[in-house]
Amino acid sequence: MENLFTPYTIKGLELKNRVVMPPMCQYSVTNKDGIANDWHYVHYTSRAIGGAGLIIIEMTDVEPDGRITDYDLGLWSDEQVPALARIVDSIHAHGAKAAIQIAHAGRKAEDASTPVAPSAIAFDENSKTPRALTTEEVREMVEKFRRSVRRAVQAGFDAIELHGAHGYLIHQFHSPLTNQRTDEYGQDLALFGKQIIKAAKEEMPADMPLIMRISAQEYVVGGYGIKESLALAKEYQQAGVDMFHVSAGGEGPIAAEGKPGTHVAYQVPLARQIKEGLQVPVIAVGRLDEAGLANAVIGNRDADLVAVGRGMLRNPYWTLEAAAQLRKEIDVPKQYLPGFPRR
């Protein structure tokens, strides 16, 4: 019987358990140069010490104007590689594996003087109106993703995640609400994402898994639902995605009639439908902080991995505590053994 502490392997990535720390922006690059600092080092190392199987570094952007804010991480320069490599080495030293989320904020780039997007449509009335990328600029953006993935591989990451969710640039291209182009990228809404996937795979070792985060449900009037996201994910799977990290929303102000539930595990059904519909591994996310619930998601085969976000912000040692609650054997750092006595 699979459970939260059963090892898991996908391609060349071997995880000691099913617990994932999902990417959560820290907005802590105080020098505004995109380079990780001591905050990021301690933040991610502590979750590795705390027992997580896979740690996904927060949204890391392919160009300066691709950041949500100027305090975000970047991988548009070789100068940004060593600090990330240091974090990867530390994560590995404490028994976890490391992935990184490569992204561009598109129209949600708050500090860009003029954000860019598929079409000149603002996120809301309080946001800047973006400039629509030219066709040639879209092609160059694919190459910016390629170069960032190349640097991530150089830094030693075990997996790459592309951010195609939460209303950021890849999502903006594949949503009919935000892509009103008339060129090839408007005729095939998935083309931009597929080209990025192809470019990423060309830079990655053959045994390295490519993860893609998607919003499987939009919560705005006229937004797409699970039927459309299944078709979209199938195209991305055929292009080379090995695993989907299934979330929802983020593409615009939530409509009253489309407001998502606030109950625990409200996004798990979306993950299960992607998993079953495409026969593809998935990561479930969304208020899965209670150990028994996270364990049930795995045991019921709703998902292959479980991402615990806010729970790990509250407690870096969430995984060790979950193992104690579930009476599962787990390697505990010898320094912490008095706090986790064997049962």
Side-chain angles (χ1 to χ4, degrees), residues 195-273:
Q195 289 181 340
I196 291 173
I197 292 164
K198 181 177 183 294
K201 298 290 277 194
E202 289 173 353
E203 299 296 331
M204 296 164 59
D207 65 345
M208 178 184 286
L210 178 63
I211 306 166
M212 190 168 200
R213 196 166 205 187
I214 61 168
S215 287
Q217 172 76 50
E218 290 189 310
Y219 295 119
V220 296
V221 175
Y224 66 73
I226 187 63
K227 179 180 177 181
E228 292 80 8
S229 61
L230 273 165
L232 174 69
K234 184 175 182 179
E235 289 198 66
Y236 288 157
Q237 180 187 26
Q238 292 173 341
V241 171
D242 300 298
M243 170 178 268
F244 288 97
H245 191 170
V246 183
S247 188
E251 69 296 326
I254 296 174
E257 63 268 32
K259 189 173 182 179
T262 57
H263 50 279
V264 298
Y266 73 98
Q267 295 183 121
V268 170
L270 297 172
R272 180 163 191 147
Q273 289 179 80

Side-chain angles (χ1 to χ4, degrees), residues 3 17 29 48 88 121 136 186 200 240-241 244 255 280 329:
N3 63 72
N17 59 47
V29 183
V88 171
I121 303 170
E136 186 54 39
V241 171
F244 288 97
V280 66
E329 291 295 325

Side-chain angles (χ1 to χ4, degrees), residues 33 54 56 89 127 143 168 170 188 198 229-230 246 292 317:
D33 55 6
L54 177 64
I56 307 178
D89 289 345
S127 301
E143 293 306 305
Y168 298 118
I170 296 176
D188 179 357
K198 181 177 183 294
S229 61
L230 273 165
V246 183
Y317 313 107

